[in-house]
Amino acid sequence: MYELDEKIYMYFLGIIPLLALLFLFNFYWKRKKQREFGDLELVKKLSPEKSRFKSTLKMIVLLLGLASLIMGLVNPKIGTKLETVKREGIDVVFAIDVSKSMLAEDVAPSRLEKTKQLVSQIINQLGSDRIGIVAYAGSAFPVLPITTDYGVAKMYLQSMNTDMLSSQGTSLDEAIKLSANYFDKGNTTNKLIILISDGEDHSEDFEGAIEEAKKVKAKIITIGVGTEKGGPIPLKRNGVIENFKRDQNDEVVITKLNPVALKQIGKGTKGGYIYGGNTKEVLEYIKNALDNIEKTEFETTQVADYQSQFQWFLGFAFLMFLIDIFLLERKTSWINQLNLFNEKES
């Protein structure tokens, strides 16, 4: 297993092919100018010690050194062993509404983006809890299984959008049922589902879903995003609003926050409900809820003893730059013997 310590420097690797193209352009430009100057064979005789191979070799050495230097800045780390560690925490599943109504911008920048911000902030204040992510609209979809890797969780979170599910609408019952089944069977770890939605519900088995959560002894905290005044659903292309969603009568659809169902879910599972407009209040509410849930010890396997490998890359880069300094472009005896590019006269 490996990880990259400073991924931002990976972008500098794009310089390598640019320099290679620049070298090729310069090489062919020189050839063109030599042809304009005179016969190529005559030019070779005027500079008999000039080697085409050595100039190419110098460029390759320079590019290898530069690539190694960049990788040294990235600092790859290799995990040397797997170990099982004991941690205390609870299992948390985030159920995130990705229906089209979550595109409404009655909260900035949009309901869905606000949801991502809230979930990301909640993850930041977790201790050693395990987390999973479920997306739902007209149906529910597993996004990330239960894990302790918060970095991966945030990556999946940011990739979520309203095009993930083809079935539209908001089925809170499907979200609850899938979230309840996310937890390991027979696991004694305490369980919490954090469900975020604007509350517009098209469920058919609402009460049954709450019973599913009760069976696995999972509490549900619901967070409402949006405003009761509501807003239209923008239809964008390349980030620009072209129109708004309309109903069968060609009227602009206004989607509003409906906290009734969300409050009912929280109350039915002895969890709770909070409006998501104020991030600070949401974080305090979730923190208090987590503090009041008993933590359970569980085992998890993770890669340990990551060791930095930057020194190998920096050492190789130094060697390449040193070779480049002492590697002259004129021919040497061993190059003449190899006769690369057929530089000897027949």
Side-chain angles (χ1 to χ4, degrees):
M1 296 291 290
Y2 72 93
E3 65 178 22
L4 303 178
D5 195 27
E6 299 291 343
K7 296 180 182 178
I8 188 67
Y9 292 114
M10 290 291 288
Y11 292 108
F12 289 126
L13 289 175
I15 298 173
I16 306 298
L18 291 177
L19 289 176
L21 288 173
L22 186 63
F23 171 77
L24 289 174
F25 173 79
N26 183 61
F27 177 79
Y28 286 108
W29 178 80
K30 284 183 177 179
R31 295 276 291 178
K32 181 181 178 182
K33 290 300 178 182
Q34 287 174 354
R35 288 192 183 95
E36 293 176 359
F37 178 76
D39 182 68
L40 283 178
E41 293 301 320
L42 180 60
V43 172
K44 288 180 183 179
K45 291 179 180 179
L46 292 174
S47 53
E49 298 301 317
K50 180 70 174 178
S51 172
R52 285 178 289 165
F53 170 73
K54 294 284 284 291
S55 61
T56 302
L57 182 61
K58 278 181 66 69
M59 187 61 188
I60 292 173
V61 167
L62 181 63
L63 292 179
L64 285 174
L66 185 58
S68 296
L69 178 63
I70 294 171
M71 289 306 298
L73 294 174
V74 172
N75 187 22
K77 293 182 176 180
I78 296 178
T80 56
K81 66 177 182 179
L82 288 172
E83 68 177 20
T84 300
V85 296
K86 290 185 177 181
R87 306 172 71 170
E88 280 191 346
I90 66 172
D91 288 346
V92 182
V93 172
F94 294 96
I96 298 174
D97 188 347
V98 292
S99 60
K100 293 297 183 184
S101 62
M102 295 295 285
L103 293 173
E105 298 176 346
D106 50 346
V107 292
S110 72
R111 294 178 184 178
L112 182 56
E113 291 305 316
K114 178 67 175 179
T115 297
K116 291 180 181 181
Q117 292 173 9
L118 289 172
V119 173
S120 182
Q121 290 296 319
I122 292 171
I123 291 174
N124 286 342
Q125 69 176 15
L126 295 178
S128 55
D129 306 297
R130 296 185 296 192
I131 60 176
I133 300 177
V134 167
Y136 67 94
S139 59
F141 176 77
V143 175
L144 179 72
I146 298 290
T147 180
T148 55
D149 194 330
Y150 294 170
V152 171
K154 287 184 178 181
M155 181 181 70
Y156 276 89
L157 173 67
Q158 294 305 318
S159 67
M160 296 178 71
N161 58 73
T162 57
D163 296 322
M164 293 178 68
L165 298 170
S166 57
S167 57
Q168 284 305 306
T170 306
S171 293
L172 296 176
D173 60 344
E174 293 288 335
I176 296 170
K177 288 178 181 178
L178 180 58
S179 299
N181 289 323
Y182 238 49
F183 303 109
D184 295 334
K185 305 297 181 185
N187 194 332
T188 58
T189 306
N190 286 315
K191 305 165 184 67
L192 175 65
I193 298 171
I194 299 178
L195 186 146
I196 308 100
S197 176
D198 53 23
E200 291 189 344
D201 184 34
H202 304 90
S203 300
E204 296 180 358
D205 189 20
F206 189 82
E207 295 295 332
I210 293 178
E211 290 302 316
E212 288 281 339
K214 288 181 178 179
K215 285 180 183 179
V216 297
K217 298 179 180 180
K219 291 183 178 180
I220 303 177
I221 292 177
T222 56
I223 302 174
V225 289
T227 62
E228 294 189 14
K229 181 181 178 181
I233 302 172
L235 303 176
K236 296 182 179 181
R237 177 176 292 180
N238 298 325
V240 179
I241 298 176
E242 291 189 331
N243 209 330
F244 294 96
K245 187 176 180 180
R246 296 176 179 272
D247 59 19
Q248 294 178 346
N249 299 320
D250 202 35
E251 297 289 334
V252 174
V253 174
I254 301 297
T255 173
K256 301 178 181 180
L257 171 65
N258 181 12
V260 177
L262 299 177
K263 289 178 180 179
Q264 186 179 347
I265 293 170
K267 184 178 180 181
T269 59
K270 297 181 180 181
Y273 166 81
I274 185 170
Y275 173 59
N278 188 311
T279 302
K280 184 178 179 181
E281 290 180 1
V282 172
L283 294 178
E284 289 178 355
Y285 183 86
I286 297 296
K287 185 178 184 301
N288 290 333
L290 291 171
D291 289 341
N292 291 323
I293 299 176
E294 184 181 354
K295 306 296 186 291
T296 308
E297 188 177 86
F298 58 85
E299 292 184 347
T300 182
T301 302
Q302 62 183 29
V303 179
D305 291 345
Y306 277 100
Q307 295 182 356
S308 296
Q309 306 296 317
F310 71 91
Q311 63 273 11
W312 301 105
F313 292 96
L314 293 183
F316 184 75
F318 176 77
L319 177 63
M320 290 297 100
F321 292 144
L322 194 65
I323 291 174
D324 180 69
I325 292 172
F326 292 100
L327 188 63
L328 303 178
E329 292 192 15
R330 68 170 185 263
K331 293 179 182 178
T332 53
S333 58
W334 65 273
I335 292 292
N336 283 327
Q337 291 173 3
L338 289 175
N339 193 28
L340 295 168
F341 297 101
N342 294 318
E343 291 177 317
K344 283 185 180 180
E345 293 183 5
S346 56

